[in-house]
C-alpha cells in the first residue's frame, strides 16, 4: 500500500536548553511516498524490486534479499530482515530507522548523510528497539549508528563509520551496543555517550575483539551527565587522534573494564566526573589524568599491567600478580595491595627515580605485595615511598641491585610511614650494591612514624665481589689438578723402566675452598692431557711434550657461578738412575685461561663478565724408587712448584670493576708412595699403591681490588695433608693403563675427591 507522508524524514535537533545532547524528532518539509507494510503483512523484496521507501508498522515484516532501497522505517513491534543489498538515506534521513521494532541485517550496506542506522523508542513507551547487524557496512555523515535509551544493538564483524570531520562512529543517548570483531570509527570520536533525556537507562558498550577509533578526538567521549559502562575485551583496541582513549566530562560517570586487551593512550576524568577503571588480565601504557573536583579509581587484578601516572587518583588497587609501573612522581589517596607489585619506573631506564606519595596504604598479611625500587646509590639518588597517613600490612621491597658501591657512610631511606603497623622486608634478604650487600633496618621518626633504610653496618661481601675473587683465585687449584695427571705419567715411567711412548689422561677433581681464603666456593674440574716422550740416545734422560684442556665450574651462593677454561702445553723431562732408583722430574707449563662469571643478584637479575689471561708454572720433584722384598717398593719424594698468573682488569655488565694483581703460588710437598708389583699372568703386571704427603702453600698475598676502593687478599697459604691410592697395570710390553684416586684437606682447601684415568703406548 502506497502512502504519501509529510512526516517521512527524521533528523536531529539539539535542545540547547539542556546541559546534554538529546535527540528529538523533527520533520523534513519533503514529502515521501512510502510503501507501507502493516499489521499481519509480510513483504518480500529482492534485487528485482524497484527502489522504494518503506514504512513497516503495527507488527508487519519486511524481508529484503539483495534489495536496493531508500529509507526504511520500522515501528510498533515490526521487523526488518535483510540479507545483502543496500539502504540509502537521503536528505538527512537515516538509511534505516527503528522505533520500538526489530532489525536483523547481514551483509548489507547502509549509507546516509546523517546516521546510517537509528535505533530509538517512540515517545511515551518504555521499550526500545533491537538490531543484530552482521558483516555489514554502516556509513553515515554524522554517525554510523545513533542509539537512544532502552535500545540495543549487536554488531558482528563489519564496519561502522562516521564520515564527516565532526562525526562519531556510534552516538549514544542511553542504550546498549555489543560489537564483536567490528571496526568502528568517527571523524571526532569513535563513540560519544550522553545521558538519555528521559532518564530511562544507562549506556553500555561492549567491545569484543573489536576496534574503536576517534580519528581526531577521543576514542570514547562520555558527557552530559551520562552513566556509562564500557567493556574492552579479548584483544580489542582503542585509538584516539588526541591520545585520549576515554574522556569523561560534564559530571558524567564511566566504569570501564579492560580484559585481555592492551591499550596505549591516556584517560581523562574532568568536569566533576567519576571514572572507575578495572583491568583484568589487561594492559595499558598511558596516564590517568584527573582534574580537581573529579574522582578516579583504578583496579589491577589477575596479572594486569599498567605503565603510567595515576596522579590524583583517589583509590588504586594492585592485586593478584598485577604490576603498576610509575613513569613519574605520583600522589594517590589510597593504595591497596594484595599480591601485586608497584614498580618505580622501568628497570632498564637508568637514573630515573620517583617518589610515590600515598595517603593510606593497606596490604595483605602474607607479605606477597612488593614495591620494586632502584637507585644510583653511588650518588645517593633513589626511589622513595612516602605514606602520609596510616600504613598496614606486610610488604616486600625489591631493590634493584647495582655494581656500583653505595655512598659511604650513608643510611639510604627507602620508605617513610606516618602511622600504622606496616612492616617492610627486603625481597631476597639483602640488597647487592657494588662490593657489598646490605640489610634493611628501621627507626622511629616523629610521633608514630617509621623509616626503613639500608644500614651500612650490616654490609657483607656481595655475590658480584665473591665471583670476582673466586675467578682470580681458581687458577691455582686448577693448576693443582692439571699437575696430578702429569705426575701419574712420571710414575708410569718408573714402572716400565723408562720406556718412551705416547699417553693420554682424563681426570676430574673437586675443591672446596673455604671463606677463610677470601671467598668460599666449590670448584669442579674436568680435563684431558695428552703427551709423548722419548729417551735421549741411550741415557737415563727422557724428554717429552704435553698439552691439554680443562674446565673448572665454580659454584658460589645465591645462584652465582663461574667458569674457567684452561688450554695448556709445555715440555717435561725426567731422569732416573736405573741402578740406584734416584729420579728427578721437571715440568714447564704454559696456560691460556678463559674466565667467565655469572652473578645471581639480590633482585633476581644476573650480571656477567669475562676476560682472558695467561699463566706459567714450573715444578721439580726429586725422589728415590726403593725396591723392597717380595716385590714391594717405597718411593719417598720432595717437590717444589711455582706459578704466576697474569693480572687483569675487567668489569661486569652491571658496572662493577675488578682489578686483580698477578696471582702467585709457591708450593712445597714431601711424601712417599708405597706399593707392590703383582704378576697377574700372561706377562701382565699390576702395581697397586698408596701415597701420603704433606703440602704447604707459601704464597699468601694475592690482592684483588673491587671498585677501586675495596682491596681483598686471596690467601690459600697453609699446610694440608694428601692421601692417594691407585693401580697401574702393564697389560703387555706395549700397553699400560692407570687409575688414581686422591683426597686432601687443609687450612683453606679440601679436595673431597680426585680421579685420574689413563693409558699409554710404548714405542
Amino acid at each position: 500500500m502506497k502512502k504519501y507522508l509529510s512526516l517521512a524524514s527524521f533528523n536531529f535537533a539539539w535542545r540547547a536548553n539542556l546541559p546534554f545532547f538529546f535527540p528529538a524528532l523533527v520533520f523534513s518539509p519533503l514529502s515521501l511516498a512510502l510503501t507501507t507494510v502493516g499489521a499481519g503483512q509480510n513483504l518480500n523484496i529482492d534485487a528485482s524490486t524497484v527502489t522504494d521507501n518503506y514504512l513497516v508498522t503495527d507488527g508487519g515484516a519486511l524481508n529484503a534479499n539483495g534489495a536496493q532501497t531508500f529509507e526504511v522505517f520500522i515501528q510498533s513491534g515490526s521487523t526488518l530482515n535483510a540479507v545483502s543489498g543496500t539502504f540509502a538515506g537521503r536528505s538527512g534521513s537515516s538509511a534505516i530507522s527503528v522505533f520500538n521494532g526489530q532489525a536483523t541485517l547481514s551483509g548489507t550496506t547502509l549509507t546516509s548523510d546523517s546516521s546510517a542506522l537509528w535505533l530509538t523508542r517512540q515517545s511515551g513507551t518504555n521499550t526500545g528497539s533491537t538490531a543484530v547487524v552482521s558483516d555489514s557496512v554502516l556509513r553515515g555523515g554524522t554517525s554510523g549508528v545513533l542509539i537512544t535509551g532502552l535500545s540495543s544493538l549487536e554488531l558482528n564483524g563489519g564496519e561502522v563509520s562516521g564520515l564527516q570531520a565532526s562525526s562519531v562512529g556510534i552516538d549514544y543517548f542511553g542504550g546498549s551496543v555489543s560489537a564483536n570483531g567490528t571496526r568502528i570509527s568517527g571523524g571526532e570520536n569513535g563513540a560519544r555517550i550522553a545521558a538519555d533525556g528521559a532518564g530511562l537507562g544507562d549506556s553500555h558498550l561492549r567491545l569484543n575483539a573489536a576496534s574503536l577509533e576517534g580519528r581526531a578526538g577521543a576514542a570514547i567521549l562520555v558527557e552530559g551527565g551520562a552513566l556509562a559502562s564500557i567493556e574492552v575485551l579479548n584483544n580489542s583496541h582503542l585509538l584516539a587522534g588526541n591520545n585520549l582513549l576515554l574522556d569523561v566530562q560534564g559530571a558524567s560517570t564511566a566504569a570501564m573494564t579492560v580484559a585481555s586487551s592492551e591499550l596505549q593512550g591516556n584517560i581523562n576524568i574532568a568536569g566533576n566526573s567519576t571514572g572507575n577503571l578495572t583491568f583484568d588480565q589487561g594492559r595499558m601504557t598511558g596516564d590517568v589524568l584527573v582534574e580537581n573536583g573529579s574522582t578516579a579509581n583504578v583496579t589491577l587484578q589477575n596479572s594486569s599491567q599498567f605503565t603510567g601516572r595515576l596522579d590524583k587518583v583517589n583509590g588504586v588497587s594492585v592485586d593478584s600478580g598485577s604490576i603498576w609501573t610509575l613513569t613519574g612522581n605520583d600522589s594517590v589517596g589510597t593504595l591497596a595491595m594484595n599480591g601485586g607489585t608497584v614498580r618505580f619506573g622501568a628497570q632498564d631506564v637508568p637514573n630515573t627515580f620517583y617518589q610515590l606519595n600515598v595517603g593510606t596504604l593497606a596490604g595483605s598479611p602474607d607479605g606477597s605485595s612488593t614495591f620494586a625500587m632502584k637507585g644510583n646509590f653511588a650518588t645517593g639518588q633513589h626511589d622513595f615511598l612516602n605514606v602520609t597517613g596510616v600504613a598496614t600490612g606486610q610488604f616486600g621491597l625489591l631493590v634493584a641491585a647495582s655494581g656500583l658501591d653505595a655512598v659511604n657512610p650513608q643510611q639510604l631511606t627507602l620508605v617513610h610511614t606516618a602511622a600504622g603497623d606496616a612492616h617492610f622486608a627486603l625481597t631476597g634478604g639483602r640488597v647487592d650494591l657494588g662490593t657489598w650487600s646490605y640489610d634493611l633496618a628501621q627507626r622511629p621518626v616523629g610521633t608514630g612514624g617509621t623509616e626503613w633504610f639500608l644500614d651500612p653496618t650490616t654490609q657483607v661481601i656481595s655475590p658480584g665481589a665473591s665471583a670476582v675473587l673466586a675467578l682470580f683465585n681458581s687458577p691455582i687449584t686448577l693448576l693443582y689438578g692439571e699437575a696430578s695427571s702429569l705426575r701419574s705419567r712420571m710414575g708410569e715411567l718408573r714402572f716400565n723402566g723408562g720406556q718412551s711412548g705416547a699417553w693420554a689422561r682424563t681426570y676430574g677433581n673437586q675443591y672446596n675452598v673455604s671463606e677463610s681464603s677470601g671467598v668460599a666456593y666449590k670448584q669442579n674440574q674436568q680435563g684431558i692431557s695428552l703427551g709423548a716422550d722419548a729417551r735421549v740416545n741411550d741415557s737415563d734422560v727422557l724428554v717429552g711434550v704435553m698439552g691439554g684442556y680443562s674446565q673448572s665450574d665454580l659454584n658460589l651462593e645465591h645462584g652465582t657461578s663461574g667458569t674457567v677454561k684452561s688450554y695448556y702445553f709445555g715440555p717435561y723431562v725426567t731422569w732416573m738412575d736405573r741402578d740406584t732408583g734416584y729420579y728427578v722430574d721437571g715440568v714447564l707449563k704454559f696456560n691460556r685461561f678463559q674466565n667467565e662469571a655469572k652473578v645471581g643478584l639480590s633482585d633476581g637479575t644476573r650480571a656477567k663478565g669475562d676476560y682472558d689471561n695467561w699463566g706459567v708454572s714450573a715444578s721439580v720433584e726429586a725422589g728415590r724408587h726403593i725396591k723392597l722384598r717380595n716385590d714391594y717398593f717405597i718411593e719417598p719424594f720432595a717437590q717444589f712448584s711455582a706459578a704466576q698468573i697474569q693480572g687483569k682488569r675487567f668489569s661486569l655488565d652491571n658496572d662493577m670493576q675488578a682489578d686483580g694483581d698477578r696471582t702467585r703460588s709457591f708450593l712445597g710437598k714431601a711424601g712417599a708412595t708405597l706399593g707392590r708389583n703383582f704378576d697377574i699372568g700372561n706377562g701382565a703386571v699390576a702395581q697397586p699403591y698408596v701415597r701420603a704427603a704433606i703440602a704447604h702453600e707459601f704464597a699468601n698475598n694475592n690482592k684483588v681490588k673491587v671498585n677501586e676502593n675495596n682491596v681483598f687478599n686471596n690467601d690459600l697459604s697453609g699446610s694440608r695433608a694428601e692421601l692417594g691410592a691407585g693401580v697401574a697395570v702393564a697389560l703387555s710390553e706395549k700397553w699400560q693403563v692407570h687409575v688414581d684416586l686422591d683426597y686432601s684437606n687443609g687450612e683453606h682447601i679440601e679436595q673431597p675427591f680426585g680421579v685420574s684415568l689413563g693409558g699409554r703406548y710404548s714405542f
Side-chain angles (χ1 to χ4, degrees):
M1 178 178 182
K2 187 76 70 175
K3 290 185 177 181
Y4 291 87
L5 296 180
S6 62
L7 311 181
S9 182
F10 299 90
N11 294 310
F12 295 113
W14 308 116
R15 293 187 179 179
N17 61 326
L18 293 178
F20 48 81
F21 294 131
F22 176 71
L25 292 181
V26 298
F27 310 111
S28 159
L30 176 65
S31 295
L32 295 178
L34 300 172
T35 296
T36 302
V37 182
Q41 292 182 317
N42 195 323
L43 178 63
N44 298 319
I45 61 176
D46 56 25
S48 63
T49 305
V50 176
T51 302
D52 202 352
N53 308 291
Y54 294 91
L55 173 64
V56 186
T57 187
D58 298 326
L62 175 63
N63 304 309
N65 189 344
Q68 310 285 322
T69 79
F70 295 127
E71 295 87 352
V72 175
F73 304 97
I74 312 297
Q75 63 181 22
S76 303
S78 300
T79 302
L80 168 64
N81 299 301
V83 177
S84 68
T86 61
F87 297 79
R90 299 166 298 163
S91 303
S93 295
S94 298
I96 297 176
S97 302
V98 187
F99 301 83
N100 293 90
Q102 298 179 351
T104 302
L105 311 178
S106 178
T108 59
T109 298
L110 280 63
T111 60
S112 171
D113 56 4
S114 61
S115 297
L117 174 65
W118 186 6
L119 302 177
T120 188
R121 63 182 180 84
Q122 292 177 318
S123 178
T125 64
N126 58 6
T127 59
S129 298
T130 62
V132 177
V133 180
S134 303
D135 301 320
S136 297
V137 176
L138 284 62
R139 293 174 178 165
T142 59
S143 65
V145 172
L146 172 64
I147 183 169
T148 62
L150 303 179
S151 296
S152 64
L153 169 64
E154 178 182 326
L155 295 168
N156 299 305
E159 171 195 331
V160 175
S161 300
L163 302 180
Q164 298 175 8
S166 59
S167 66
V168 295
I170 300 177
D171 217 357
Y172 275 91
F173 299 90
S176 175
V177 175
S178 177
N180 304 296
T182 308
R183 301 184 307 277
I184 305 167
S185 68
E188 184 68 24
N189 305 118
R192 180 172 60 197
I193 301 175
D196 175 7
L200 294 179
D202 302 340
S203 298
H204 304 274
L205 173 61
R206 185 177 187 270
L207 302 174
N208 177 36
S211 66
L212 180 69
E213 179 182 10
R215 295 192 294 272
I220 303 173
L221 173 63
V222 181
E223 60 180 356
L227 298 174
S229 64
I230 302 162
E231 297 176 275
V232 183
L233 312 176
N234 299 323
N235 202 32
S236 291
H237 299 283
L238 299 180
L239 304 171
N242 64 357
N243 205 37
L244 292 181
L245 307 180
L246 173 64
D247 190 7
V248 186
Q249 302 277 353
S252 299
T253 299
M256 185 168 79
T257 297
V258 179
S260 301
S261 298
E262 183 170 356
L263 305 180
Q264 290 191 345
N266 297 331
I267 293 174
N268 185 50
I269 313 296
N272 297 314
S273 296
T274 299
N276 297 311
L277 310 173
T278 300
F279 294 85
D280 191 335
Q281 291 187 343
R283 293 172 175 249
M284 177 173 165
T285 300
D287 300 332
V288 176
L289 310 172
V290 184
E291 186 181 77
N292 290 336
S294 295
T295 300
N297 299 286
V298 176
T299 298
L300 306 178
Q301 60 192 29
N302 293 331
S303 301
S304 294
Q305 294 191 25
F306 183 93
T307 300
R309 299 195 61 192
L310 297 177
D311 199 34
K312 299 181 183 178
V313 170
N314 294 65
V316 178
S317 296
V318 186
D319 303 327
S320 53
S322 297
I323 300 173
W324 170 27
T325 301
L326 280 69
T327 57
N329 297 329
D330 267 323
S331 296
V332 300
T334 298
L335 175 60
M337 301 178 66
N338 184 13
T341 297
V342 174
R343 183 177 291 160
F344 285 69
Q347 300 297 310
D348 57 352
V349 180
N351 299 318
T352 54
F353 312 107
Y354 303 125
Q355 178 170 325
L356 175 60
N357 298 310
V358 178
T360 301
L361 175 65
S364 57
D366 59 2
S368 59
S369 303
T370 303
F371 291 94
M373 313 175 85
K374 62 185 183 306
N376 183 344
F377 295 102
T379 64
Q381 296 174 287
H382 55 85
D383 297 318
F384 182 60
L385 172 64
N386 180 36
V387 183
T388 59
V390 176
T392 58
Q394 306 280 332
F395 302 91
L397 297 182
L398 179 61
V399 181
S402 172
L404 301 175
D405 288 351
V407 176
N408 187 36
Q410 180 179 354
Q411 293 179 333
L412 305 169
T413 302
L414 302 175
V415 179
H416 169 267
T417 60
D421 59 359
H423 182 75
F424 296 84
L426 289 174
T427 302
R430 288 182 176 270
V431 178
D432 302 330
L433 301 179
T435 312
W436 308 104
S437 297
Y438 300 90
D439 206 346
L440 192 68
Q442 67 183 82
R443 60 189 168 213
V445 292
T447 303
T450 307
E451 286 183 346
W452 279 264
F453 60 94
L454 300 182
D455 188 351
T457 65
T458 64
Q459 71 180 30
V460 296
I461 188 170
S462 70
S466 296
V468 166
L469 294 177
L471 277 187
F472 284 123
N473 207 25
S474 60
I476 299 303
T477 45
L478 182 151
L479 292 176
Y480 293 163
E482 292 177 352
S484 65
S485 67
L486 184 59
R487 190 178 190 283
S488 296
R489 170 57 182 160
M490 301 302 195
E492 281 182 349
L493 292 173
R494 290 184 285 278
F495 179 32
N496 66 22
Q499 298 181 55
S500 57
W503 55 275
R505 290 283 184 274
T506 182
Y507 53 92
N509 301 286
Q510 180 176 301
Y511 296 97
N512 297 329
V513 180
S514 68
E515 189 172 356
S516 61
S517 70
V519 62
Y521 61 92
K522 180 181 292 184
Q523 178 176 347
N524 290 293
Q525 180 187 35
Q526 304 86 35
I528 185 171
S529 295
L530 304 171
D533 43 53
R535 185 177 299 280
V536 178
N537 298 323
D538 194 28
S539 68
D540 292 330
V541 177
L542 279 87
V543 295
V545 64
M546 53 87 69
Y549 166 82
S550 73
Q551 177 174 313
S552 292
D553 297 316
L554 312 180
N555 295 310
L556 296 91
E557 295 181 344
H558 310 297
T560 296
S561 62
T563 301
V564 182
K565 296 179 180 180
S566 170
Y567 302 86
Y568 55 90
F569 70 95
Y572 63 91
V573 61
T574 182
W575 168 83
M576 182 180 66
D577 189 319
R578 283 172 281 185
D579 295 329
T580 63
Y582 286 104
Y583 69 90
V584 177
D585 298 332
V587 180
L588 178 64
K589 186 157 65 75
F590 302 92
N591 287 71
R592 176 67 171 175
F593 302 108
Q594 295 178 346
N595 309 271
E596 181 181 16
K598 295 180 179 178
V599 183
L601 300 173
S602 57
D603 60 357
T605 61
R606 295 183 71 84
K608 61 183 179 180
D610 59 79
Y611 67 95
D612 296 346
N613 60 341
W614 289 92
V616 61
S617 59
S619 69
V620 61
E621 178 181 322
R624 184 182 181 189
H625 184 82
I626 303 173
K627 294 181 180 180
L628 304 175
R629 289 184 299 177
N630 299 322
D631 292 325
Y632 283 96
F633 69 90
I634 188 169
E635 192 173 275
F637 67 92
Q639 184 191 72
F640 184 80
S641 61
Q644 179 168 286
I645 313 300
Q646 178 189 14
K648 199 73 173 183
R649 182 179 180 87
F650 81 106
S651 61
L652 299 180
D653 59 6
N654 67 343
D655 298 323
M656 175 177 284
Q657 303 293 320
D659 190 0
D661 285 349
R662 288 187 296 270
T663 301
R664 299 176 178 86
S665 172
F666 301 103
L667 181 69
K669 186 183 299 186
T673 301
L674 176 65
R676 184 183 182 187
N677 295 329
F678 289 93
D679 186 347
I680 57 177
N682 298 321
V685 177
Q687 185 190 80
Y689 58 86
V690 294
R691 181 175 58 252
I694 295 294
H696 185 84
E697 176 63 71
F698 294 92
N700 62 359
N701 190 21
N702 294 317
K703 291 185 178 180
V704 178
K705 186 184 295 184
V706 180
N707 285 348
E708 300 298 336
N709 298 319
N710 304 286
V711 180
F712 298 89
N713 181 36
N714 280 334
D715 182 7
L716 294 177
S717 64
S719 299
R720 63 179 182 270
E722 296 183 348
L723 299 174
V727 60
V729 179
L731 300 174
S732 67
E733 188 176 334
K734 297 290 187 182
W735 289 98
Q736 183 175 315
V737 294
H738 187 94
V739 59
D740 247 339
L741 302 174
D742 293 297
Y743 170 82
S744 68
N745 199 356
E747 184 175 351
H748 299 303
I749 305 174
E750 178 193 17
Q751 182 186 16
F753 69 85
V755 179
S756 175
L757 301 171
R760 65 100 180 161
Y761 176 77
S762 297
F763 300 136

